Amino acid sequence: MMRVFEGLRFRRIPSPVHELDPRSKAVYVAVVSILSIVYSDPLVLTVLLIIQIPLVYAAKVVRFWLNSLRGSTFLAVFIFAVNLLTSYLYMGGFTLEGLLTATAMTLRFILLMGVFSLFFLTTTPEDLSLALEKLRIPYDICFAFTAAMRFVPDIALEAQSIMDAQKSRGLELERGGFIERIRKTLPILVPLFIRSFQRSLELAEAMESRAYGAIEKRTSLYELKMSKNDYVFMILSIILLTATLLIKPP
Amino acid sequence: MIEVKDVYYTYPNGFTALRGVNLTIRKGECVAIMGENGAGKTTLVKHFNGLLKPTRGTVIVDGVETKDASVAQLSRKVGLVFQNPDHQFFSETVEEEVAFALRNFGFPEDEVERRVEKVLKRMGLLGYRKSSPFSLSGGEKKRLAIASIVVFEPEYLVLDEPTIGQDYIQKVEIRRVIDSYLETGRTVVIVTHDLEFVVDLRPRVVLMSRGRIIADGKAEEILSDSKLMDDASLLLPQMTELAYKLGNPKIPRTILDENDMLEVVKPLLKHRGGWRS
Ligand SMILES: Nc1ncnc2c1ncn2[C@@H]1O[C@H](COP(=O)(O)OP(=O)(O)O)[C@@H](O)[C@H]1O
Ligand SMILES: [Mg+2]
């Protein structure tokens, strides 16, 4: 779990991908997401996944990216198993088609995970907020969104501390039946929720003491600007979309 | 005995927080682990009850390698009290909170009741037994966190930054808990920055810096060594600083507090006939 959070957290590394405007990266994410949902051919999905690799290299976040994929292995295996089982029950046996569907579903998950991880690893929360504002989304919502993103790693660390504290008092999360295990998450969830409430109250106080919302129209010190690279990247993304649709209509 | 042998620890994000730590803690000892923020103190004590397993090297608690035991088994022996009490309270009442570990360790119900009452009394929390843990003050929360571990009487009690954010009276109470724990022949390890507290306690001091142990010895030797203390980003105790500044050969630099100073200075002043009272 920690790995997944780590894989979604922004890393301040100088790279051409980091410098791209969040809007052009969003176009790319949208293209890959659309393609991964439209196609359920494992081959196409594999090709799409391979296309990610040079970008991840260019962004210099290979280790973090692989970590987030590794962190989602459990879910990937789960998705594969459930799909295989469903097809088994439907078709009354293991078929090639069932296997292909399960593989496609799993690849789709890994692909989406990978592309979103790349986006968040290379986009600062501030840029993200600016981009949302450009899309005319009310600032309150932008702020809530970026604040939530910003606090994910803190909450993950806190969850770890809470688990450590309860395990040190003899809590064994891995033992017991299903109901027993659910009951055992209470000592983890209760402090986590309470801390989250405390944190939002603290944040609200800090914001108010810095006159949040005092002015209707906010201006920013930094403005997002599309560069030549951004346009190139967006055009390439669109080409990827149209070319795939033309070469191999779903 | 807790034996830490050549332990390296690397966090999943690739950061190496311990770089070849060797340390032996014997039963009945009182040890203070000191060092700058990020030195690896918390990382080290998390190895004592198996929350973290060494990337390289071994940690052995009473003859059992931590790799071969569960955190629950080890925690029965090594009680770890974390810095932030808010990271553990979840029960509706103070009483339930203290009973949590006892129930996890399978103590019989009458024993649970007896122990909870005893520990709450000792911690001055008996009046709050039916209150919510969240309604307590900072000092009471801290004591409750300590109580929730002390209640099962682990052989080794490890306190991570116990005095942070505590006022003088609260520190005195924490000190009282440590003393009474040591009196029963058990072991106490504290992780702390609180120089005054350590000077007063006079434990064995282990200095850490950047993932390594840079010194280990009596409080008098370590805390008065300006070079070592500087390496660990700690200030000298005020009285030691004064002894250094006086630069008088008759005033040794192993002085840590006002009592040490008094002992040395009194005869000197008497000698000159300037001492009254
Ligand atoms: N969960 C973690 N993941 C990655 N690095 C960590 C984690 N916890 C601590 N660290 C790093 O390890 C180092 C030692 O931390 P810690 O043992 O908490 O130090 P101390 O208790 O001496 O202040 C610090 O640099 C800290 O940033
Ligand atoms: Mg610490």
Side-chain angles (χ1 to χ4, degrees):
Chain A
M1 252 348 243
M2 287 295 283
R3 281 206 175 125
V4 180
F5 289 129
E6 283 284 303
L8 290 175
R9 197 170 113 208
F10 170 68
R11 307 290 159 150
R12 210 171 289 275
I13 300 168
S15 94
V17 182
H18 284 72
E19 271 165 29
L20 289 174
D21 190 292
R23 287 167 293 179
S24 60
K25 273 184 275 191
V27 169
Y28 169 74
V29 171
V31 164
V32 176
S33 308
I34 291 170
L35 287 175
S36 72
I37 288 164
V38 170
Y39 288 95
S40 33
D41 180 346
L43 189 68
V44 177
L45 293 170
T46 309
V47 171
L48 282 173
L49 194 58
I50 290 172
I51 292 176
Q52 309 297 311
I53 294 169
L55 266 177
V56 174
Y57 260 98
K60 301 183 189 150
V61 289
V62 180
R63 205 179 67 214
F64 306 118
W65 191 73
L66 286 179
N67 251 342
S68 70
L69 290 194
R70 227 174 285 148
S72 44
T73 320
F74 174 76
L75 216 55
V77 170
F78 182 74
I79 290 172
F80 186 80
V82 166
N83 276 288
L84 202 61
L85 196 70
T86 325
S87 77
Y88 177 83
L89 296 177
Y90 263 102
M91 321 244 183
F94 285 114
T95 58
L96 184 63
E97 206 191 325
L99 190 67
L100 284 180
T101 322
T103 312
M105 283 300 206
T106 314
L107 278 172
R108 181 175 289 158
F109 168 71
I110 294 173
L111 187 59
L112 286 172
M113 192 67 212
V115 73
F116 275 95
S117 166
L118 180 64
F119 180 82
F120 286 114
L121 279 171
T122 60
T123 309
T124 65
E126 300 87 59
D127 276 1
L128 198 58
S129 168
L130 288 176
L132 290 174
E133 279 173 71
K134 284 264 191 240
L135 300 175
R136 306 203 179 284
I137 292 172
Y139 182 69
D140 283 342
I141 294 175
C142 301
F143 185 85
F145 182 73
T146 45
M149 286 301 298
R150 156 74 184 72
F151 282 119
V152 164
D154 287 15
I155 293 170
L157 271 182
E158 205 146 61
Q160 187 66 53
S161 301
I162 292 169
M163 261 156 61
D164 284 349
Q166 306 303 36
K167 275 156 83 180
S168 300
R169 295 201 290 165
L171 182 71
E172 288 181 283
L173 291 167
E174 306 82 14
R175 290 243 310 245
F178 185 66
I179 303 287
E180 178 84 3
R181 283 194 195 197
I182 289 189
R183 210 175 48 82
K184 279 183 176 173
T185 59
L186 264 188
I188 313 280
L189 292 181
V190 172
L192 196 59
F193 274 115
I194 289 176
R195 277 296 300 145
S196 298
F197 277 120
Q198 282 175 355
R199 196 200 317 275
S200 31
L201 290 180
E202 282 161 18
L203 182 65
E205 265 178 17
M207 283 162 66
E208 274 181 41
S209 61
R210 291 194 241 167
Y212 177 87
I215 302 173
E216 279 287 305
K217 182 93 182 84
R218 284 172 50 98
T219 54
S220 331
L221 186 54
Y222 300 103
E223 291 280 344
L224 285 180
K225 268 204 210 76
M226 293 281 218
S227 68
K228 202 180 83 205
N229 281 351
D230 284 305
Y231 291 111
V232 173
F233 189 61
M234 273 199 292
I235 290 168
L236 285 178
S237 303
I238 306 283
I239 291 177
L240 174 69
L241 179 69
T242 40
T244 318
L245 289 172
L246 286 177
I247 297 170
K248 198 168 172 14
Chain B
M1 197 158 72
I2 300 179
E3 296 159 273
V4 179
K5 293 183 181 165
D6 202 30
V7 165
Y8 286 75
Y9 183 78
T10 304
Y11 278 105
N13 70 358
F15 184 82
T16 302
L18 296 180
R19 305 159 181 271
V21 171
N22 284 290
L23 177 67
T24 303
I25 295 172
R26 282 166 289 273
K27 281 204 178 137
E29 267 191 307
C30 177
V31 182
I33 301 177
M34 304 184 78
E36 80 264 357
N37 267 331
K41 306 177 298 289
T42 301
T43 308
L44 176 61
V45 296
K46 279 186 184 173
H47 278 81
F48 294 173
N49 74 345
L51 282 171
L52 297 176
K53 314 275 170 168
T55 310
R56 225 175 85 194
T58 50
V59 177
I60 301 166
V61 176
D62 289 347
V64 178
E65 205 179 319
T66 57
K67 270 189 180 126
D68 305 327
S70 72
V71 177
Q73 284 165 339
L74 291 164
S75 295
R76 182 67 190 81
K77 288 198 163 181
V78 184
L80 218 64
V81 181
F82 284 90
Q83 194 175 328
N84 190 346
D86 287 336
H87 284 168
Q88 56 163 289
F89 297 157
F90 72 99
S91 307
E92 277 177 54
T93 63
V94 163
E95 200 169 51
E96 290 295 307
E97 195 63 49
V98 177
F100 180 63
L102 295 176
R103 300 224 164 90
N104 285 332
F105 290 132
F107 281 74
E109 207 49 37
D110 54 334
E111 179 74 6
V112 170
E113 218 161 284
R114 200 182 61 77
R115 285 195 180 219
V116 167
E117 171 139 8
K118 190 174 136 207
V119 84
L120 287 180
K121 198 182 241 164
R122 203 164 89 195
M123 296 287 179
L125 293 170
L126 204 55
Y128 300 109
R129 62 190 304 172
K130 298 286 179 201
S131 313
S132 158
F134 305 104
S135 68
L136 301 182
S137 74
E140 290 157 355
K141 277 186 181 171
K142 191 83 208 182
R143 268 179 287 146
L144 177 56
I146 298 175
S148 75
I149 297 293
V150 167
V151 71
F152 61 87
E153 298 177 354
E155 192 59 53
Y156 307 89
L157 176 65
V158 184
L159 305 162
D160 196 353
E161 311 269 11
T163 60
I164 266 191
Q166 305 287 302
D167 66 21
Y168 175 70
I169 309 279
Q170 291 161 346
K171 284 188 193 183
V172 170
E173 289 182 27
I174 292 170
R175 172 63 193 271
R176 221 166 34 88
V177 175
I178 293 175
D179 287 343
S180 67
Y181 216 73
L182 288 168
E183 268 165 29
T184 60
R186 294 195 175 83
T187 315
V188 176
V189 178
I190 63 170
V191 170
T192 187
H193 278 111
D194 192 334
L195 198 55
E196 223 173 278
F197 194 77
V198 176
V199 163
D200 207 44
L201 186 64
R202 298 292 166 108
R204 167 180 164 199
V205 174
V206 172
L207 272 194
M208 286 189 76
S209 177
R210 300 178 192 193
R212 290 196 178 85
I213 290 181
I214 58 168
D216 180 350
K218 288 206 183 93
E220 291 80 2
E221 294 161 12
I222 310 276
L223 300 182
S224 62
D225 188 324
S226 63
K227 171 84 180 58
L228 280 178
M229 294 294 274
D230 195 44
D231 288 345
S233 311
L234 290 166
L235 288 175
L236 286 174
Q238 282 187 347
M239 284 297 152
T240 317
E241 189 79 50
L242 182 60
Y244 268 80
K245 287 199 170 146
L246 285 172
N248 185 323
K250 288 190 183 130
I251 300 177
R253 289 164 182 189
T254 49
I255 278 172
L256 294 187
D257 62 12
E258 66 281 8
N259 293 326
D260 299 351
M261 187 57 102
L262 201 60
E263 221 169 275
V264 179
V265 170
K266 226 173 172 173
L268 287 179
L269 290 177
K270 241 182 205 152
H271 180 70
R272 295 193 180 179
W275 185 266
R276 281 180 237 291
S277 105

